[in-house]
Amino acid sequence: MYGFSKFYSKFYKYPLPLLLLSLWLVAVFWLSDRPAHSQHPAISTNKEKYQSTLLAKRIMPSTLTENVRKTVLENGLIVLTKEVHTAPVVTVQVWYKVGSRNEEPGVNGIAHQLEHMMFKGTRNRPIQFGRLFSALGSDSNAFTSYDQTAYYGTVERNKLKALLVLEADRMRNSQIEPEQLASEKRVVISELQGYENSPEYRLNRAVMKAVFPNHAYGLPVGGTKADVEKFEVEQVEKYYRNFYTPDNAVLVIVGDFQTANTLEIVKEVFGKLPRQEAGVISPLSPSLSTQHGLNAPLPLTALSTPIVLREPGAGRLLQVVYPLPDANQPDVPALDVMDYILTEGRNSRLYQALVESGLASEVTASVTSLRESGWYELLVTAGAKQDLKKIDSMLSSAIANLAEKGVTSEEVERAKTQLTADVILSNRDITSQAMRLGTDETTVGDYRYTDRYLAAVHLVKPTDVVAVINKYLTKETRTVGFFEPTQKRITEVADKPDSAQTTENFFPGAPVLFSEVMKYLPPVDLAIDAIAQVLPQEFKLTNGLRILLLPDQSTPTVTLSGYIQAGTEFDPENKAGLAAFVADNLLNGTKSKDVFTIAKVLGERGASLDFQTYREGVHIEGDSLAEDLPILLEILADVVKNSTFPTKELELHREQTLTELQLELDEPSEVARRVFVQSIYPKKHPLHTFPTEESLQQIQRQDVIDFKAKHYRSDTTVLALVGDFDLDKVRSLIKNKFGDWEVSNQAPVLKYPSVAMPQKIVSVNPVLPDKAQAVTYMGYTSINRYDPRFQAALVLNQILGGDTLSSRLGAEVRDRQGLSYGIYSSFQVGKNVGTFLIEMQTSPEDSSKAIASTRQILQQIHQQGVTALEVETAKRTLISNYNVSLANPEELTDKILMNEVYGLDKVELHSFTDKIQKVTLTQVNQAARELLHPDQIVVVTAGPSVLAEKSIR
């Protein structure tokens, strides 16, 4: 879903922001596959941190940009090409050098609004572009950030020219129609309301405004409702004409193509587009904010007292922001090393000072380095009943202590190693590689920036870290924000839903005519490239452990995925949360290593290991450089066999989990999910139970030990590895590390009771006061993974709501009516049960209308079915998206793993697309009649109190 860059880099550490989409608001919450209250607490160890150093012992085979070619067309378009022939896929990205930096109060959010309008069609193709991308099978999206706006798509290589044609068309010929602008403004406002639901967002917005009072970096990237409401067609059109020109754009192509031929196509498609017209704002001139008197220099002083927000919420928050120089300044590498020392992992300084002491449940931080300035921000979630002033004092003391006593060479080298691994691990897929190039070229004007940056990080010394702390992390320049909640949110959800029948008379428009889609689709060879049928090698230890191995020498890395049948389905009703308690504490100590030793061993190598608890199992996620795979496997084997669950760590985790629960129950999406699941699955059902404050308090150390002993078994564990390794060596290594994992008795088995469909519409409206956006879940129990209708259901779902722009639901509820920022449907399947789900976010006043329209579309497809052209288009999309996903090591490893977990033949990895291709129109329409039940559906809408008055009746 297109959107703007995340409002604060809570989970990311970049030298430049990756300009992530705000998918956290619109992603479907997988009921059978979502982590159940399982987070490794306190410090994020996200592996997408785009910074590194090439330490001598870990030099990559080549620099990141060694085979990148830069071409500048006569019209000024910069073209960056990089051939990567590991899979028959290619990514096409167009980056415009314009973002919220080019705005001012009154037109804040216009870059983001224009980004939305760029999907609305052109003079040549008056059709929603999302439908064209879907018909191509392109994994396409867009985002707006401070310094740039970008559009990207990843497809099979034979569709490269078609993507180029579409991007060139909307660079020149996009139309901004009044009716479409009015509809899309509602969508953007709905999106902004979703952000307003978050206390972190509101606090960040207040602090950033104070940090940059005279610069557009102090404005929210997505804009404000007040400004968006006032946008006129002429304003948006002028912005489009001024900034969407070839001489203000960068085209990035990475993947399986031949450079010479592709450049000829680029010249043919883009070369005829005219440069910017004379007399308009130069795209390379200073930001609009500077031109209008908003100055760019760093603030010399900050507010002497904290900004305090006393608003409804669930937890206390502290945010501290220090102004920093722009990305091209030489201090940036040392600042990034400093950040890792302060906040990365269990051994970091601020974890020790704030989390280990119980003052905080979580600390996150990021260095943001942009075109005209930068900042360092820290966000602290307070522990239960902890005072923010005390936390702020302790944070300041920890930083001052670092400046006074210095950092060790060991800390600096560990930070460099972590950075090295992060950059390698985050550049394995072609989309990420292109993102790196586009970010560098549009932010600092040099696609080789990361190479220069890496070399500079390599030279950082302990004295450099102390120097930047003394220079930038001063009390005189920092701005502090406190969030103090004014009321307690609900801690439980209602057990008994109300039943109601919808009576709105709201009919959707005519189904999308897919003949129109094909009419405007650029010519393309629809024959799908044959993909090498490489299958994983499978073997099994005598203790039942199953292992799947797929060597891949394309990058010097290894991806590990694992599964243990120890999910929340085994939680006792009075101790819900126990399964996640076990998984989250595995890394907190073993018979031979304490928690800090484990963290140090992984951190020194930049390796990651995490356990996520889902309904039907615990998912293991691990990444490392290839040479560190033995260490990764050694730690994994040690924690699954020998975890000791120290009392101190368990109690610390309990406090963090209780705080996290409090925060979750302040989120409409989480409340809607809980109520929805508990409304379709009755008490005593394995899926009904969710953690509560009472159940978490009931969990004792012996419960954790007993659960682990009973459910962590080699014969219910599967490991899948993809990467740069020798098969025989890894087999021997796994046998050596896991061969003595003994089991006794039979593995526990659950019997899932059958669940009846609701007999009518069941409506539930849990109220969360003062929230700006509502979240709705609609659905009921459905098929599991083994149902013979599974593939037909996937095709049906793609047509119904598999894509928020090209599907029936997206075209009507989101695109035509503008009622929702994102609307999706899914058949979420497991081994035992499945759930059909529609999820949407709406303005509170639009909820009833969106629900009624959604039910009408369900009724329409249930009764009338879908068309043959829709089926063929959906099949192409699913097949293409699947083939693209196989080029991503993490997605490939997960597919190998889950096929084994479900007991499918390993050839399923490649036969899946054949099964989709064989689905017929008759099968899809039969699935529509059997699986869509618009009059027997649970509807849960969580949000502000206005919903109680406007609930569906």
Side-chain angles (χ1 to χ4, degrees):
M1 184 61 209
Y2 44 85
F4 60 83
S5 175
K6 214 165 189 181
F7 54 83
Y8 61 95
S9 303
K10 182 175 181 183
F11 298 112
Y12 303 89
K13 297 174 183 288
Y14 304 140
L16 306 173
L18 179 58
L19 322 172
L20 297 171
L21 312 179
S22 301
L23 292 173
W24 65 289
L25 282 174
V26 299
V28 173
F29 295 93
W30 297 96
L31 300 181
S32 58
D33 288 326
R34 175 188 167 136
H37 221 296
S38 74
Q39 295 190 356
H40 251 328
I43 301 289
S44 171
T45 56
N46 194 294
K47 46 187 177 279
E48 294 185 77
K49 308 177 188 95
Y50 272 66
Q51 349 177 3
S52 184
T53 177
L54 300 181
L55 301 180
K57 66 176 182 177
R58 295 170 183 276
I59 294 178
M60 293 178 65
S62 62
T63 64
L64 295 174
T65 57
E66 184 179 54
N67 65 332
V68 175
R69 177 171 172 180
K70 181 175 182 177
T71 306
V72 182
L73 303 189
E74 291 184 5
N75 59 9
L77 178 68
I78 296 172
V79 184
L80 301 176
T81 54
K82 180 179 182 180
E83 294 185 26
V84 180
H85 300 290
T86 55
V89 295
V90 63
T91 188
V92 173
Q93 303 182 4
V94 178
W95 294 66
Y96 295 95
K97 301 174 188 177
V98 60
S100 64
R101 176 179 62 86
N102 304 85
E103 298 174 356
E104 61 179 334
V107 291
N108 181 207
I110 196 168
H112 178 222
Q113 184 69 64
L114 176 58
E115 175 223 310
H116 278 242
M117 298 307 298
M118 288 287 283
F119 285 83
K120 289 295 189 177
T122 66
R123 290 192 296 271
N124 300 326
R125 294 177 174 85
I127 187 173
Q128 164 60 254
F129 263 45
R131 298 177 200 165
L132 299 177
F133 294 135
S134 179
L136 276 178
S138 174
D139 180 10
S140 294
N141 220 312
F143 56 81
T144 304
S145 191
Y146 296 98
D147 290 338
Q148 57 274 102
T149 306
Y151 303 82
Y152 65 91
T154 303
V155 294
E156 296 152 311
R157 64 186 174 196
N158 57 314
K159 299 164 185 174
L160 170 59
K161 183 175 181 179
L163 266 189
L164 292 172
V165 169
L166 291 177
E167 291 297 352
D169 190 18
R170 63 176 174 175
M171 177 181 286
R172 175 64 177 170
N173 302 311
S174 288
Q175 296 191 106
I176 316 295
E177 300 290 348
E179 183 178 347
Q180 292 182 336
L181 178 59
S183 171
E184 205 62 27
K185 281 162 62 175
R186 292 181 71 177
V187 170
V188 169
I189 289 170
S190 173
E191 180 182 354
L192 297 179
Q193 288 172 326
Y195 304 136
E196 290 287 346
N197 278 355
S198 166
E200 292 98 323
Y201 174 82
R202 303 198 300 272
L203 180 62
N204 176 267
R205 199 169 79 168
V207 172
M208 289 300 292
K209 184 177 180 181
V211 175
F212 294 101
N214 300 312
H215 194 287
Y217 286 158
L219 302 174
V221 174
T224 63
K225 180 181 178 182
D227 283 0
V228 171
E229 287 177 332
K230 293 183 292 187
F231 290 155
E232 300 290 343
V233 169
E234 294 75 17
Q235 286 178 296
V236 181
E237 281 185 336
K238 183 178 180 180
Y239 201 86
Y240 172 64
R241 289 195 304 272
N242 285 354
F243 293 105
Y244 278 56
T245 59
D247 48 326
N248 194 41
V250 177
L251 171 64
V252 185
I253 307 171
V254 176
D256 191 16
F257 62 90
Q258 298 300 318
T259 300
N261 293 340
T262 298
L263 285 176
E264 287 303 313
I265 296 172
V266 168
K267 291 174 184 176
E268 171 195 339
V269 173
F270 283 91
K272 57 191 176 186
L273 302 183
R275 300 175 67 97
Q276 187 182 63
E277 298 176 15
V280 300
I281 299 173
S282 169
L284 300 181
S285 65
S287 66
L288 291 184
S289 58
T290 303
Q291 297 173 34
H292 287 270
L294 300 183
N295 299 316
L298 297 175
L300 299 178
T301 59
L303 297 180
S304 57
T305 59
I307 297 168
V308 181
L309 294 188
R310 291 186 173 90
E311 299 176 354
R316 293 181 176 86
L317 303 170
L318 165 68
Q319 184 160 56
V320 181
V321 176
Y322 299 87
L324 295 180
D326 64 77
N328 270 316
Q329 299 306 308
D331 286 335
V332 171
L335 285 163
D336 291 325
V337 173
M338 171 208 74
D339 174 39
Y340 267 60
I341 292 170
L342 280 174
T343 66
E344 179 59 26
R346 295 294 295 262
N347 291 300
S348 63
R349 296 295 188 97
L350 292 182
Y351 185 100
Q352 293 290 311
L354 300 177
V355 180
E356 284 294 321
S357 66
L359 286 173
S361 67
E362 186 175 24
V363 179
T364 57
S366 65
V367 172
T368 299
S369 305
L370 300 178
R371 184 176 183 134
E372 293 181 359
S373 189
W375 57 88
Y376 183 51
E377 65 181 292
L378 292 141
L379 182 67
V380 182
T381 303
K385 301 178 182 179
Q386 296 296 332
D387 180 68
L388 291 177
K389 290 182 179 179
K390 182 178 180 181
I391 294 173
D392 185 32
S393 176
M394 185 64 72
L395 185 149
S396 297
S397 296
I399 293 175
N401 183 64
L402 195 66
E404 179 183 348
K405 297 184 178 180
V407 297
T408 67
S409 296
E410 181 185 10
E411 286 178 302
V412 172
E413 293 307 309
R414 182 165 63 239
K416 289 181 179 182
T417 304
Q418 290 171 322
L419 293 170
T420 303
D422 286 340
V423 75
I424 297 173
L425 292 168
S426 63
N427 278 283
R428 289 178 292 177
D429 64 280
I430 61 171
T431 301
S432 297
Q433 293 177 44
M435 287 278 183
R436 180 71 272 150
L437 296 172
T439 300
D440 287 350
E441 185 67 28
T442 54
T443 302
V444 299
D446 184 4
Y447 71 90
R448 297 161 299 188
Y449 173 82
T450 297
D451 282 340
R452 291 191 286 109
Y453 168 84
L454 300 177
V457 173
H458 177 50
L459 301 177
V460 172
K461 302 183 294 295
T463 53
D464 299 324
V465 175
V466 173
V468 294
I469 292 175
N470 286 321
K471 184 175 181 179
Y472 297 108
L473 270 58
T474 66
K475 282 196 171 184
E476 293 74 27
T477 60
R478 74 181 198 140
T479 300
V480 179
F482 291 169
F483 181 85
E484 296 276 8
T486 57
Q487 66 186 65
K488 189 175 181 180
R489 294 293 187 197
I490 61 171
T491 57
E492 304 296 336
V493 294
D495 288 328
K496 294 184 179 180
D498 297 322
S499 296
Q501 182 68 43
T502 302
T503 57
E504 285 87 347
N505 184 22
F506 190 83
F507 292 93
V512 178
L513 295 176
F514 274 77
S515 57
E516 289 293 295
V517 176
M518 303 309 294
K519 173 182 173 182
Y520 294 116
L521 199 66
V524 62
D525 178 8
L526 293 179
I528 298 174
D529 284 314
I531 296 179
Q533 302 289 303
V534 180
L535 295 174
Q537 298 291 312
E538 181 177 2
F539 72 100
K540 186 176 182 180
L541 300 186
T542 55
N543 59 13
L545 177 67
R546 290 167 285 164
I547 300 100
L548 299 106
L549 303 174
L550 183 61
D552 174 12
Q553 279 76 43
S554 60
T555 65
T557 65
V558 175
T559 301
L560 180 150
S561 283
Y563 172 95
I564 303 174
Q565 191 175 314
T568 62
E569 62 185 5
F570 292 112
D571 274 349
E573 184 176 1
N574 65 332
K575 294 179 182 178
L578 177 57
F581 235 71
V582 175
D584 290 346
N585 283 279
L586 288 172
L587 290 166
N588 285 345
T590 66
K591 295 174 183 177
S592 61
K593 301 179 184 71
D594 65 16
V595 57
F596 300 109
T597 301
I598 293 172
K600 182 179 179 182
V601 169
L602 292 172
E604 285 177 343
R605 291 156 179 82
S608 68
L609 182 62
D610 194 22
F611 297 86
Q612 300 279 343
T613 310
Y614 296 87
R615 288 294 182 183
E616 291 187 343
V618 172
H619 196 152
I620 307 167
E621 298 173 355
D623 288 292
S624 75
L625 300 181
E627 65 192 65
D628 295 323
L629 177 59
I631 300 296
L632 184 66
L633 289 173
E634 179 183 337
I635 294 294
L636 174 60
D638 192 21
V639 299
V640 296
K641 293 187 299 183
N642 304 314
S643 292
T644 54
F645 305 107
T647 301
K648 178 186 174 183
E649 298 299 333
L650 282 177
E651 292 309 312
L652 181 62
H653 176 71
R654 189 195 311 276
E655 291 304 312
Q656 294 164 345
T657 305
L658 288 168
T659 300
E660 181 64 27
L661 174 64
Q662 188 180 24
L663 295 173
E664 284 183 356
L665 293 179
D666 186 50
E667 298 176 6
S669 59
E670 176 63 21
V671 172
R673 185 177 75 96
R674 284 183 170 231
V675 176
F676 174 76
V677 171
Q678 293 186 331
S679 296
I680 62 175
Y681 295 107
K683 285 187 175 182
K684 305 300 181 183
H685 191 282
L687 298 190
H688 182 88
T689 305
F690 281 86
T692 65
E693 182 176 347
E694 181 181 7
S695 72
L696 293 172
Q697 294 285 16
Q698 292 289 325
I699 297 172
Q700 302 300 312
R701 179 171 181 267
Q702 193 60 47
D703 298 321
V704 175
I705 293 171
D706 292 344
F707 186 98
K708 198 263 185 180
K710 182 177 181 180
H711 296 286
Y712 279 67
R713 303 169 54 96
S714 55
D715 55 352
T716 64
T717 299
V718 182
L719 298 179
L721 288 88
V722 173
D724 186 9
F725 53 75
D726 178 90
L727 271 173
D728 291 336
K729 289 182 180 179
V730 172
R731 285 170 63 113
S732 176
L733 183 63
I734 291 174
K735 185 175 181 179
N736 177 262
K737 297 299 181 184
F738 293 89
D740 61 349
W741 188 4
E742 298 178 357
V743 296
S744 59
N745 303 320
Q746 293 296 312
V749 177
L750 277 177
K751 182 174 177 60
Y752 273 62
S754 59
V755 178
M757 289 282 296
Q759 295 305 301
K760 53 185 175 182
I761 297 174
V762 178
S763 171
V764 196
N765 297 129
V767 173
L768 282 79
D770 302 300
K771 291 297 184 183
Q773 187 192 59
V775 176
T776 296
Y777 278 56
M778 306 172 63
Y780 38 76
T781 59
S782 191
I783 61 174
N784 63 24
R785 179 60 180 86
Y786 308 110
D787 194 289
R789 297 166 294 183
F790 173 66
Q791 285 79 21
L794 291 182
V795 176
L796 170 64
N797 183 72
Q798 183 65 28
I799 297 167
L800 171 65
D803 182 277
T804 201
L805 294 180
S806 64
S807 63
R808 291 270 192 106
L809 288 174
E812 179 62 24
V813 179
R814 189 225 177 277
D815 201 43
R816 190 180 77 82
Q817 298 179 52
L819 297 176
S820 175
Y821 170 50
I823 181 168
Y824 302 90
S825 65
S826 60
F827 286 93
Q828 301 174 349
V829 299
K831 291 190 294 183
N832 297 295
V833 295
T835 304
F836 172 69
L837 170 68
I838 297 172
E839 185 258 353
M840 70 180 94
Q841 307 85 31
T842 60
S843 297
E845 59 271 20
D846 289 335
S847 297
S848 295
K849 193 174 183 180
I851 292 167
S853 182
T854 297
R855 285 194 55 245
Q856 293 288 348
I857 292 171
L858 288 174
Q859 191 74 47
Q860 189 179 68
I861 296 179
H862 172 74
Q863 293 178 345
Q864 302 171 19
V866 299
T867 68
L869 193 51
E870 282 180 304
V871 169
E872 290 307 309
T873 303
K875 285 159 57 174
R876 260 202 319 272
T877 300
L878 289 170
I879 291 170
S880 181
N881 287 344
Y882 184 84
N883 287 336
V884 167
S885 75
L886 294 183
N888 184 308
E890 292 184 351
E891 293 189 54
L892 171 62
T893 311
D894 281 342
K895 285 179 171 58
I896 292 171
L897 173 76
M898 293 312 296
N899 285 344
E900 178 65 24
V901 169
Y902 287 131
L904 306 175
D905 194 295
K906 61 182 179 181
V907 300
E908 177 76 13
L909 185 64
H910 298 294
S911 65
F912 172 81
T913 54
D914 294 333
K915 294 177 181 178
I916 293 293
Q917 186 59 49
K918 292 176 181 177
V919 172
T920 66
L921 173 64
T922 300
Q923 290 173 328
V924 174
N925 283 333
Q926 181 178 346
R929 290 190 298 271
E930 295 174 356
L931 301 178
L932 299 185
H933 306 286
D935 297 322
Q936 296 174 275
I937 193 167
V938 172
V939 182
V940 176
T941 303
S945 57
V946 66
L947 294 169
E949 302 165 14
K950 294 187 177 182
S951 59
I952 58 173
R953 296 288 179 187

